[in-house]
Amino acid sequence: MIKLLLLALLFFLGYSFFQALFPRRRDQKPPANRSQNGEQMVQDPQCGTYLPISDALSANIQGRQYYFCSRKCRKQFKKQT
Ligand SMILES: [Zn+2]
C-alpha cells in the first residue's frame, strides 16, 4: 500500500514538473459571467437566475447593489434581509 502511495506521489510530482515546463493556456479563457455580445451577466440572488444587466432590476440594499429578474424576487429578497 505504501508503494502505491509513493508511486502516486511520484506521478504527481512528475505531473507538476511537466506542467511547470509546459504551462497551459486553458486558464486564460474569458470570464464566464459575460454573455456572447460582451454584455455583463448578473445573478439574481433570490432565485439564482443569470440575466443580462440591461434586463435586470437593480436595487440598492444595505449599501450593496443587487440585480433581480423580477419585482417579485426583489420583494422577496428585501423581505429576507
Ligand atoms: Zn429571480
Side-chain angles (χ1 to χ4, degrees):
M1 200 58 193
I2 302 253
K3 262 190 190 173
L4 251 174
L5 279 173
L6 274 173
L7 206 72
L9 191 73
L10 265 174
F11 182 78
F12 177 74
L13 282 174
Y15 185 71
S16 311
F17 186 67
F18 183 80
Q19 285 220 318
L21 278 180
F22 306 100
R24 290 206 209 153
R25 310 238 162 235
R26 205 174 46 176
D27 297 334
Q28 290 186 344
K29 62 185 175 188
N33 64 345
R34 290 193 174 263
S35 64
Q36 281 179 334
N37 57 13
E39 191 174 20
Q40 197 188 345
M41 300 292 282
V42 290
Q43 188 181 21
D44 183 330
Q46 180 61 31
C47 66
T49 305
Y50 281 95
L51 64 160
I53 198 164
S54 58
D55 289 350
L57 281 168
S58 68
N60 201 308
I61 301 166
Q62 293 172 351
R64 271 200 67 183
Q65 194 75 20
Y66 292 97
Y67 296 95
F68 301 94
C69 70
S70 64
R71 271 188 286 181
K72 198 179 126 205
C73 281
R74 186 166 65 180
K75 216 169 127 187
Q76 282 184 344
F77 187 78
K78 275 186 176 173
K79 231 190 274 178
Q80 284 175 5
T81 48

